């Protein structure tokens, strides 16, 4: 395209004023990657821009910093981050954001929303590697409030068996951890330990 710039080794620039650096691809009007050596970046879409080496920006007006991925129109990923969805924007480094202008309200991981043989899914923090290396913590957090507004709760839900049929059973909240700090058993019994496994319930005032 007019004024396209692919003057570097392994560079591909397609579109008016597209510009690609070393071993990079820029496709779309004004799409751009860092110019120079070791860029190794991809910018696809009108106005898609990569500002650091090894970034990937896919979508019109998307922006990706170095070592980051922005997927979606106007998605914006900071260094080491991943932003997925139209207008999705990371707010700090090494952050994953899914959903932006179009919100994501449910996430299914495994083998689809429904399946005749659903697979079990385990969410893991990173484990240690080597001798006597502790694993990483796993933190679950509700949304944070601002000012005098309380934060969001963490809800644990399960579906009770219903009558025979093919319809999905409804979810019921069994345990909730409120933003105020209250822990509520909403439905069912709270059992601590069994005849073969000892257990304990500890309640702290936070001090």
């Amino acid at each position: 395209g007019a004024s396209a710039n692919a003057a570097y080794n392994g560079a591909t620039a397609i579109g008016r004023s597209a510009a690609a650096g070393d071993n990079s691809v820029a496709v779309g009007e004004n799409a751009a990657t860092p110019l120079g050596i070791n860029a190794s970046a991809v910018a696809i879409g009108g106005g898609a821009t990569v500002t650091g080496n090894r970034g990937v920006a896919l979508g019109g007006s998307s922006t990706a910093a170095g070592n980051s991925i922005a997927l979606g129109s106007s998605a914006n990923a900071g260094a080491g981050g991943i932003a997925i969805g139209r207008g999705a924007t990371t707010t700090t480094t090494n952050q994953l954001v899914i959903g932006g202008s179009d919100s994501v309200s449910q996430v299914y991981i495994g083998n689809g929303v429904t399946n005749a043989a659903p697979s079990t899914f385990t969410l893991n923090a990173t484990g240690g590697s080597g001798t006597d290396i502790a694993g990483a913590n796993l933190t679950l957090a509700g949304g944070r409030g601002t000012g005098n507004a309380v934060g969001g709760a963490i809800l644990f839900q399960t579906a009770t068996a219903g009558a025979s049929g093919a319809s999905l059973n409804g979810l019921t909240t069994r345990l909730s951890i409120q933003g105020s700090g209250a822990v509520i058993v909403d439905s069912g019994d709270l059992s601590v330990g069994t005849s073969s496994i000892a257990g304990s319930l500890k309640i702290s005032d936070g001090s």
Side-chain angles (χ1 to χ4, degrees), residues 6-193:
Y8 297 87
N9 292 332
T12 301
I14 301 174
R16 187 168 69 89
S17 299
D22 194 47
N23 296 314
S24 296
V25 176
V27 179
E29 183 177 2
N30 294 317
T33 75
L35 300 180
I37 63 174
N38 300 321
S40 301
V42 177
I44 298 177
T49 303
V50 178
T51 60
N53 293 346
R54 296 171 297 279
V56 176
L58 303 179
S61 300
S62 57
T63 303
N67 301 306
S68 70
I69 300 173
L71 303 177
S73 175
S74 300
N76 190 332
I82 301 174
I84 301 175
R86 183 172 68 92
T89 301
T90 63
T91 59
T92 187
T93 59
N94 303 312
Q95 185 181 72
L96 168 64
V97 174
I98 301 176
S101 302
D102 302 307
S103 63
V104 176
S105 60
Q106 296 186 38
V107 177
Y108 291 86
I109 301 176
N111 48 351
V113 175
T114 62
N115 193 280
S119 60
T120 298
F121 164 72
T122 301
L123 179 64
N124 290 291
T126 301
S129 176
T131 303
D132 301 332
I133 305 299
N137 293 332
L138 176 63
T139 300
L140 300 177
R144 294 182 291 179
T146 61
N148 62 5
V150 70
I154 298 176
L155 308 178
F156 295 87
Q157 298 183 332
T158 62
T160 301
S164 178
S167 298
L168 292 173
N169 295 317
L171 292 169
T172 300
T173 298
R174 307 300 185 185
L175 175 70
S176 60
I177 303 175
Q178 303 295 308
S180 62
V183 178
I184 302 173
V185 178
D186 297 274
S187 177
D189 298 325
L190 175 61
S191 299
V192 180

